[in-house]
Amino acid sequence: MSYRVKRSEFDDILSKLQEDYKIYAPTRKKDKGTFSDTDLVLYDRVSSLEEIDFNSKTKYSPKEVVFPITQTLFYFNGNEYIEAEDKGEKVLVFLRPCEVNAFKRLDKIFLENGPQEDIYYKRLREKVKFVVVECTEGFDSCFCVSMGTNRTDDYSVFIRVSDEEIFCEVKDDELAEVFVDKESTDYSPEFIQENKQQVEVPALEDITTDLFDSEIWKEYSKRCIGCGRCNTVCPTCSCWTMQDISYQDNENIGERRRVWAGCHIDGYTEMAGGHDFRTTYGDRMRFKTLHKIYDFRKRFDIDMCVGCGRCEDVCPQYISFVGAIKKLNQAIKEGKNNG
Amino acid sequence: MANNPYIPTTVEIISIRPESEVDYTYRLAIDLDVDNGQFVEVSIPKVGECPISVSDFGEGYIDLTIRHVGKVTNQIAHLEVGDKLGIRGPYGNGFPIEEYRGKDLVIAAGGTGLAPVKSIINYFYRNSKEVNSLTLLLGFKNPANILFADEIAKWERADHINVILTVDEGDEDWTGNVGLVTDIVDRVDFDNVANRSVVIVGPPIMMKFTSLEFMKHDIKEEQIWVSFERKMSCGIGKCGHCKMDDTYICVEGPVFNYTKAKNLVD
């Protein structure tokens, strides 16, 4: 069912939803940006329509909802382990189609990869529902159409926001009662058909190990500074490291957490004794690039990258991921021509 | 939440045995269903966790041979018999022992690489009739770094085991071989090449060049198995640290046939 809701009425809907759900959406934090007089757009809890920024791309992705930056797994008390509690709150996230597709990538790793499900991820993930915001224009650095992530069917509510009203397609029975007294309409979602940036992802069989030594990666050894911004803003980067802490007040007590880690950052592969792999930034760029558009697909039949373009938005060295894919295509082509 | 894969089991240290100047074997009181070559995650609350391969196991115990070189292992150095450690696992796959039955098996180990294969050697030491022959190529940095000296002496005394030991650098008392493991490969009896299986474990460069050396003697890629060491934070395919290409070393490894291993590029 689809409904037409006046903007002035939407806060009532949010209020009712908040009785059962924590609501996250893109928000704009005035003057909190990296540079002076710039704002920071990021996901945060909201309670009113006014707080939601529908017109900007967030710097960070909504993955924190299911994969927090730091997450306590359990507590220590001597040699006793006490599992961290789950608050059990249900969550609604206002997000875009590419970001829903990013959650599917996280699901692959945390729920399907390896011998067991990740129970900490699962218990957060099970409580998340999506309100997808129609996105027919995109942003300058987006390339979701190329990645096939411009569409999704996985949502509870799909909305189109205009100056006067909000059109809502409601698929979730549990949420439908909040909309039931609103005017029905024939709204159906639209998806972006073309981005400003386009790129062709190479076929699996075109990527061979000789490309690992390609000259194209050497450029990144000079340009990349290993800051890991691209990893932290990526909605699909899922790597993490165990971290133990103890409390100053009582040294017998502490906790084990997982914290985000990234393949571009020093120490990611370093083992005890100092043995390290992928020490050059070019090798790390190669590893990440091929993970996002090659080996994840080999394993799970979908590319990991969802084309949100955040990595390009935040890179202090202006490294473009689309540019890297294009260079890879060129290297493949040249290799074939040479062969 | 039942069956939480991240919560360790607390186990007691039964014995601590020095193996070299820097390596110690900790025997832990735990019954684990281990395959030769698998690893466990060892932890000390408030310090951290690290992956360590199981160097031997039996009823009621596992052995971990640990070099004190990292945050967790340096803390383990302060522990005594009766102290406790956290253990999760075992993780990964082991060596396919069934493939080695009836074969002329060669095991080449470099340094601490001997730890993950020690249990296989001891298995075929005890079950000598299950292999046609067993040759051990053991390389260490120097005589002071030789691991499991008593066990090596035990293997040397066995009729069906041929032990060739070498060190990168000798000392005044050393009268044995000096050189890399690759230098002693040609001392293996390569009659009936087709019946050989080769296990190679050590630093990445050692595994690569030792494999190539064996292939010069007409050993085929599919006859060689290696084991990878990586920084594994979770051990169950989630944290991403150990991934190479589309392969998670903690899940599909650490043991690989060379046909697969040769395509794994860091």
Side-chain angles (χ1 to χ4, degrees):
Chain A
M1 267 308 268
S2 294
Y3 304 91
R4 181 202 299 260
V5 183
K6 287 184 188 143
R7 283 186 78 108
S8 57
E9 294 173 339
F10 202 76
D11 277 355
D12 288 341
I13 288 177
L14 290 178
S15 295
K16 284 180 191 159
L17 290 172
Q18 275 186 99
E19 290 171 13
D20 296 316
Y21 295 90
K22 283 199 294 186
I23 301 177
Y24 286 88
T27 64
R28 178 174 289 272
K29 310 293 181 193
K30 185 94 180 107
D31 294 334
K32 297 287 185 191
T34 309
F35 305 106
S36 62
D37 295 330
T38 59
D39 300 340
L40 177 63
V41 185
L42 79 173
Y43 277 85
D44 201 356
R45 281 189 75 168
V46 297
S47 55
S48 67
L49 190 61
E50 194 188 10
E51 293 170 75
I52 305 176
D53 184 341
F54 288 111
N55 300 316
S56 310
K57 191 198 298 185
T58 57
K59 184 171 180 176
Y60 299 99
S61 80
K63 76 179 174 189
E64 288 174 59
V65 171
V66 288
F67 177 40
I69 299 171
T70 65
Q71 182 177 24
T72 301
L73 304 183
F74 51 86
Y75 299 90
F76 308 114
N77 188 353
N79 278 315
E80 190 187 358
Y81 304 104
I82 303 144
E83 190 174 273
E85 281 181 16
D86 176 19
K87 288 181 186 156
E89 294 170 290
K90 293 198 281 187
V91 172
L92 266 188
V93 190
F94 283 69
L95 76 183
R96 291 165 191 274
C98 65
E99 295 169 330
V100 173
N101 282 298
F103 276 83
K104 290 192 183 307
R105 274 70 178 161
L106 298 175
D107 290 349
K108 293 283 179 198
I109 295 292
F110 285 106
L111 301 179
E112 293 179 28
N113 205 43
Q116 283 171 282
E117 291 180 329
D118 186 293
I119 55 176
Y120 294 97
Y121 178 87
K122 191 182 182 188
R123 71 188 189 185
L124 293 175
R125 182 70 177 86
E126 282 175 341
K127 297 187 179 74
V128 175
K129 288 182 178 179
F130 301 128
V131 179
V132 175
V133 180
E134 195 170 89
C135 183
T136 53
E137 295 289 322
F139 301 96
D140 288 351
S141 59
C142 297
F143 54 103
C144 58
V145 177
S146 297
M147 301 313 296
T149 53
N150 52 323
R151 310 180 70 89
T152 180
D153 295 325
D154 182 11
Y155 54 85
S156 297
V157 182
F158 201 107
I159 63 171
R160 175 190 294 165
V161 181
S162 73
D163 291 345
E164 298 296 321
E165 53 212 347
I166 295 174
F167 295 91
C168 310
E169 189 206 7
V170 183
K171 288 209 300 191
D172 187 310
D173 291 343
E174 213 176 283
L175 302 181
E177 53 191 72
V178 179
F179 293 87
V180 76
D181 61 341
K182 305 299 175 199
E183 182 191 340
S184 64
T185 179
D186 58 356
Y187 167 69
S188 62
E190 286 180 21
F191 298 98
I192 190 168
Q193 298 298 319
E194 193 176 349
N195 301 120
K196 286 178 188 162
Q197 294 214 74
Q198 288 163 27
V199 67
E200 194 177 331
V201 176
L204 284 184
E205 58 272 20
D206 284 344
I207 296 180
T208 48
T209 46
D210 57 321
L211 284 164
F212 289 26
D213 297 325
S214 169
E215 290 292 313
I216 61 170
W217 310 117
K218 291 184 179 149
E219 172 195 334
Y220 299 104
S221 291
K222 291 176 191 155
R223 286 180 68 188
C224 175
I225 57 169
C227 68
R229 281 190 190 188
C230 52
N231 291 147
T232 47
V233 299
C234 177
T236 67
C237 272
S238 57
C239 290
W240 52 273
T241 300
M242 293 286 193
Q243 184 185 69
D244 282 16
I245 62 156
S246 60
Y247 306 145
Q248 272 186 335
D249 294 345
N250 183 345
E251 285 189 357
N252 289 321
I253 300 175
E255 58 192 78
R256 180 162 298 160
R257 301 162 163 179
R258 65 167 157 217
V259 297
W260 285 2
C263 58
H264 273 271
I265 302 167
D266 288 347
Y268 178 74
T269 57
E270 190 181 340
M271 302 192 298
H275 198 77
D276 206 354
F277 306 97
R278 298 192 298 274
T279 50
T280 73
Y281 296 137
D283 279 344
R284 295 178 199 179
M285 184 68 185
R286 183 259 304 159
F287 178 81
K288 184 189 72 181
T289 303
L290 295 182
H291 185 37
K292 299 294 182 188
I293 61 155
Y294 167 63
D295 60 60
F296 193 88
R297 181 156 35 115
K298 264 209 294 187
R299 198 171 177 88
F300 300 112
D301 290 331
I302 50 171
D303 279 314
M304 194 176 206
C305 175
V306 294
C308 73
R310 285 187 175 89
C311 51
E312 176 176 333
D313 295 340
V314 300
C315 180
Q317 297 295 93
Y318 305 108
I319 292 170
S320 158
F321 193 63
V322 165
I325 302 172
K326 286 180 175 169
K327 283 174 189 173
L328 180 62
N329 280 330
Q330 187 65 27
I332 290 168
K333 200 172 150 194
E334 283 167 7
K336 283 194 172 157
N337 289 343
N338 291 342
Chain B
M1 208 184 296
N3 194 24
N4 184 330
Y6 297 113
I7 294 189
T9 304
T10 302
V11 298
E12 190 176 319
I13 300 171
I14 308 169
S15 67
I16 303 171
R17 178 189 166 90
E19 300 289 357
S20 73
E21 285 182 336
V22 286
D23 303 281
Y24 294 79
T25 295
Y26 294 78
R27 179 158 291 190
L28 305 173
I30 184 170
D31 256 319
L32 274 188
D33 187 11
V34 183
D35 280 342
N36 301 284
Q38 285 188 299
F39 68 96
V40 292
E41 293 280 349
V42 181
S43 66
I44 300 181
K46 305 178 291 296
V47 178
E49 212 173 18
C50 64
I52 302 281
S53 44
V54 176
S55 59
D56 226 330
F57 52 91
E59 203 172 311
Y61 75 89
I62 60 167
D63 283 352
L64 304 178
T65 301
I66 296 173
R67 180 168 288 185
H68 301 143
V69 286
K71 193 172 151 194
V72 178
T73 54
N74 280 332
Q75 199 62 32
I76 291 174
H78 298 295
L79 300 181
E80 295 171 356
V81 171
D83 285 342
K84 305 254 188 346
L85 278 172
I87 294 289
R88 303 192 280 128
Y91 295 127
N93 67 353
F95 291 95
I97 274 211
E98 65 284 359
E99 297 265 357
Y100 310 146
R101 293 207 169 94
K103 300 279 171 62
D104 291 300
L105 177 63
V106 182
I107 298 177
T112 48
L114 182 54
V117 293
K118 180 174 158 247
S119 60
I120 314 182
I121 300 171
N122 274 334
Y123 177 84
F124 288 120
Y125 171 81
R126 291 191 302 272
N127 302 282
S128 58
K129 293 198 170 66
E130 292 191 21
V131 279
N132 196 39
S133 72
L134 177 58
T135 305
L136 306 180
L137 307 182
L138 310 177
F140 296 96
K141 198 171 169 188
N142 53 51
N145 277 145
I146 292 175
L147 286 179
F148 313 122
D150 294 349
E151 302 251 354
I152 292 172
K154 177 183 87 179
W155 300 329
E156 281 174 331
R157 289 193 295 272
D159 289 341
H160 69 300
I161 304 180
N162 176 25
V163 181
I164 305 170
L165 185 63
T166 184
V167 295
D168 297 351
E169 299 161 20
D171 59 20
E172 289 168 4
D173 302 325
W174 183 254
T175 55
N177 300 301
V178 175
L180 303 174
V181 171
T182 46
D183 299 334
I184 52 173
V185 169
D186 59 8
R187 290 174 55 180
V188 174
D189 172 9
F190 283 102
D191 283 354
N192 195 7
V193 167
N195 196 45
R196 294 238 160 235
S197 287
V198 178
V199 169
I200 305 170
V201 186
I205 199 160
M206 173 267 179
M207 290 196 289
K208 181 181 174 183
F209 286 102
T210 308
S211 299
L212 294 174
E213 201 61 35
F214 273 102
M215 285 188 277
K216 281 184 200 164
H217 290 89
D218 296 329
I219 298 289
K220 295 193 170 66
E221 289 175 352
E222 54 266 33
Q223 291 173 272
I224 301 174
W225 282 263
V226 296
S227 177
F228 285 165
E229 189 184 7
R230 287 296 179 282
K231 176 181 184 170
M232 297 147 182
S233 219
C234 72
I236 55 171
K238 312 294 184 194
C239 78
H241 285 277
C242 69
K243 193 180 80 71
M244 296 169 79
D245 199 351
D246 65 332
T247 301
Y248 287 76
I249 306 303
C250 68
V251 178
E252 282 105 46
V255 173
F256 293 97
N257 186 267
Y258 193 79
T259 51
K260 166 90 177 168
K262 69 172 182 178
N263 293 319
L264 296 175
V265 181
D266 266 301

